[in-house]
């Protein structure tokens, strides 16, 4: 038989955790078991959930909790993420202090998904950058700006040598810069910048609006020359990402934004772990790049949670291409060596304020990051590299601080 | 100018809450303000968020927190729920201990939504029941059952005189009972029961599968004679409910299931309040009936949160039809007077175990509830009513207990 396994952390001062686990395994599958006649049990056995493990923890001076794993037969749910989530966490999310901490997918379930269309390798191929970490920048401000202003911002970023530029996640369809117009304008600006720098740049346009029109919007963007899409996955549901990603006509990378994720992951008692939310499910659903709050800046996530997300985005235990991890928020050039230490080179260095806030402007901001990356990759300290004629890096260090 | 206002509760031991509020109002709208040139400020003013109020609470011996209200100009986001949520809680959901507690919508925003197509009044009209609370029952177990078994369960429930019968939320598309077949079979059973009892019964079939196929699935169900639909709204996103509900071809009531809601509402520090999640947004998106965990059973929500949900589902301050509140889980006949005291008569009494667990079977279970409703409406105590020849009610009280 084929199962998907869900892990939970359950806090309770006095519950019999084994009994609780058993009641989930039965209640969320066949409903009742012991009262079924033997013949019925025989035919229902293939639908019965199974308690895989119950580890009770009673730390001295701490709160009592258990880590519980329950297997749900694939036969019970259709092979889509809404069905999986409702099965493993629908009703029980409301039943006490319980958090969904991990998922293990069956081969059969996984076989219905394609994962990222491009992944780390594919995005690198599009850019022609095989080894070094990629550099991304975000528009500084977008609301209320017209196409000219947006294009100026785009050019300044692109001329600084970044590999990717992304829309702000709060830029929705609007009259000043509808997606097909801003894609066309930014594409032109990207090509002009490339003529100057020799570097290609991908632009991720925010895909927004009503759910049932998203495919059409995506295709409109692609027709206008879009090179990537940004999606606020949690506001639409994972299945939307999954279907967009699986659509052969949507032939550009999709970047998943974590907007609203904080409604789920930060509580130790409730919700869904960041590694499930922004790691496992994003990759399963086909995100080529996944943003999440870095442990370095002001909007932070603990480092171990970042590492758990990264693990799920790149692990060989999922039969898909790897998703590019994009630790975000509060990133400045001084952090580059630390980011590479934590993430390796398969990472996207993503900055907003750390680019635009550079005293030399956004282009200088991009160059400062490039210099920091070059230094880190060649094993030179940022301070040493800065004084070797890398003025933009020196200025960045002066403002935001050096290597941590 | 036209704004939507979001309320937050922010816990922090030492933050300057006024400064924090200001940084959200600017950061989540125009991005930066003080450094803008005066001319630019003039043109950007219509996009700038505004702090409406900051109430700091420093309870003796308790944790320090603030209730903050921020107005977001409608001009900044498109008129759909994903855009609203990403605007008011996208990035900041990840920034510390912050919970979204309330929304106030502008008239302009509301004008883009239609709310419930049927609402309380419309559902009552479909059933021909104008005043009393409605009675709903849930299939006991559904997974692994074939059409015959499902139909038998349906008939037993319908013959007990319930007004509505709903699928379990974990019944997905499957080979044994695909939606069009079970709708057709249950419709036949409903008509047969009606011929016997004289009572109409609505059947809410669970709408599942891939997002972009949901409309087609819904229409397939309607062609097969569906009289209502159940939707796991949070696994698909509110916009899917909104678009299904606004579709003129989907001309039957939609019932919203709260599956996964517990990932958002229970923490005092994080997430989204139950009254926003299962009250405001469900009605805005057009749910005719909304299920939520009752305060009475085992899977519980505090009574005041139930009342806050109810308020949002029926308040006259939203220009839509009212959504039917359906407090669920752990409901037995003894609770009926309490439910009516809390909710009034515009409520759906919804039971699973309290119907199927009746010693006389599901039909007797339905009759016990009907008797409890009759007693409560005529001001007779359940105990008195039970001894007046209402045996099913007497049996129910014996098992589950009497009036609370």
């Amino acid at each position: 038989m084929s199962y998907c396994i869900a892990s939970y952390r359950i806090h309770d001062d006095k519950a019999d955790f084994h009994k609780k686990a058993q009641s989930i395994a039965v209640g969320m599958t066949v409903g009742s078991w012991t009262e079924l006649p033997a013949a019925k049990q025989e035919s229902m056995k293939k639908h019965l959930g199974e308690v895989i493990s119950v580890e009770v923890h009673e730390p001295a001076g701490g709160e009592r909790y258990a880590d519980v794993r329950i297997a749900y037969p694939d036969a019970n749910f259709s092979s889509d993420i809404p069905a999986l989530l409702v099965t493993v966490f629908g009703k029980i999310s409301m039943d006490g202090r319980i958090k969904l901490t991990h998922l293990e997918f069956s081969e059969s379930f996984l076989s219905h998904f394609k994962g990222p269309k491009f992944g780390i390798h594919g995005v690198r191929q599009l850019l022609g950058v095989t080894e070094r970490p990629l550099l991304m920048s975000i528009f500084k401000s977008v609301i209320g700006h017209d196409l000219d202003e947006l294009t100026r911002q785009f050019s300044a970023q692109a001329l600084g040598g970044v590999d990717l530029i992304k829309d702000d996640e709060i830029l929705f369809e609007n009259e000043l810069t509808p997606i097909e117009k801003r894609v066309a304008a930014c594409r032109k600006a990207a090509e002009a910048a490339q003529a100057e720098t020799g570097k290609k740049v991908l632009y991720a346009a925010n895909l927004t609006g009503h759910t049932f029109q998203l495919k059409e919007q995506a295709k409109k963007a692609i027709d206008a020359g879009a090179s990537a899409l940004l999606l606020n996955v949690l506001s639409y549901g994972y299945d939307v990402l999954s279907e967009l990603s699986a659509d052969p006509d949507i032939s550009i990378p999709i970047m998943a934004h974590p907007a609203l994720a904080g409604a789920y992951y930060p509580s130790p008692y409730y919700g869904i772990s960041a590694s499930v939310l922004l790691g496992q499910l994003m990759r399963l659903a086909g995100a080529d790049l996944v943003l999440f709050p870095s442990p370095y800046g002001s909007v932070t996530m603990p480092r171990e949670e970042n590492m758990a997300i990264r693990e799920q985005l790149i692990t060989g235990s999922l039969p898909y291409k790897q998703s590019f991890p994009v630790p975000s928020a509060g990133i400045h050039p001084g952090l580059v060596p630390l980011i590479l230490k934590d993430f390796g080179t398969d990472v996207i260095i993503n900055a907003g304020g750390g680019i635009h806030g550079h005293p030399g402007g956004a282009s200088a901001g991009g160059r400062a990051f490039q210099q920091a990356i070059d230094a880190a990759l060649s094993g030179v300290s940022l301070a040493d590299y800065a004084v070797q004629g890398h003025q933009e890096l020196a200025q960045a260090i002066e403002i935001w601080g050096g290597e941590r």
Side-chain angles (χ1 to χ4, degrees), chain A residues 381-393:
Chain A
S381 81
L382 296 191
D384 286 352
Y385 203 73
V387 296
Q388 288 163 25
H390 298 107
Q391 195 200 336
E392 289 91 347
L393 179 58

Side-chain angles (χ1 to χ4, degrees), chain A residues 318-401:
Chain A
L318 284 175
Y320 308 124
K321 290 175 181 152
Q322 297 178 317
S323 306
F324 237 129
V326 191
S328 302
I331 307 297
H332 60 79
L335 291 167
V336 168
L338 182 56
I339 297 172
L340 299 198
K341 191 166 151 253
D342 283 342
F343 284 88
T345 51
D346 277 339
V347 67
I348 296 183
I349 314 274
N350 177 31
I355 296 258
H356 298 283
H358 195 282
S363 298
R367 284 192 292 275
F369 269 104
Q370 283 191 72
Q371 291 160 6
I373 292 170
D374 290 345
L377 290 180
S378 48
V380 179
S381 81
L382 296 191
D384 286 352
Y385 203 73
V387 296
Q388 288 163 25
H390 298 107
Q391 195 200 336
E392 289 91 347
L393 179 58
Q395 288 174 303
I397 291 175
E398 202 174 316
I399 300 180
W400 291 297

Side-chain angles (χ1 to χ4, degrees), chain A residues 208-291:
Chain A
T208 68
H210 286 296
T211 309
F212 295 120
Q213 287 155 28
L214 289 177
K215 279 196 172 185
E216 199 183 307
Q217 281 290 103
K219 286 166 193 172
K220 212 198 281 182
I222 290 167
D223 288 345
S227 51
L229 293 168
L230 176 70
L231 184 70
N232 289 311
V233 178
L234 295 171
S235 69
Y236 291 108
Y238 288 99
D239 188 61
V240 166
L241 170 59
S242 186
E243 292 204 84
L244 292 174
S245 171
D247 187 330
D249 292 337
I250 298 176
S251 50
I252 54 178
I254 302 178
M255 188 183 300
H257 195 278
L260 298 172
Y264 299 85
Y265 69 71
S267 168
Y269 304 117
Y270 303 105
I272 302 177
S273 288
S275 60
V276 174
L277 210 60
L278 302 173
Q280 297 190 288
L281 294 176
M282 288 297 186
R283 186 166 171 207
L284 181 69
D288 296 290
L289 312 94
V290 180
L291 278 77

Side-chain angles (χ1 to χ4, degrees), chain A residues 44-56:
Chain A
M44 291 298 278
K45 199 154 186 191
K46 63 177 176 293
H47 297 289
L48 177 64
E50 195 182 317
V51 177
I52 302 295
S53 62
V54 178
E55 278 177 29
V56 179

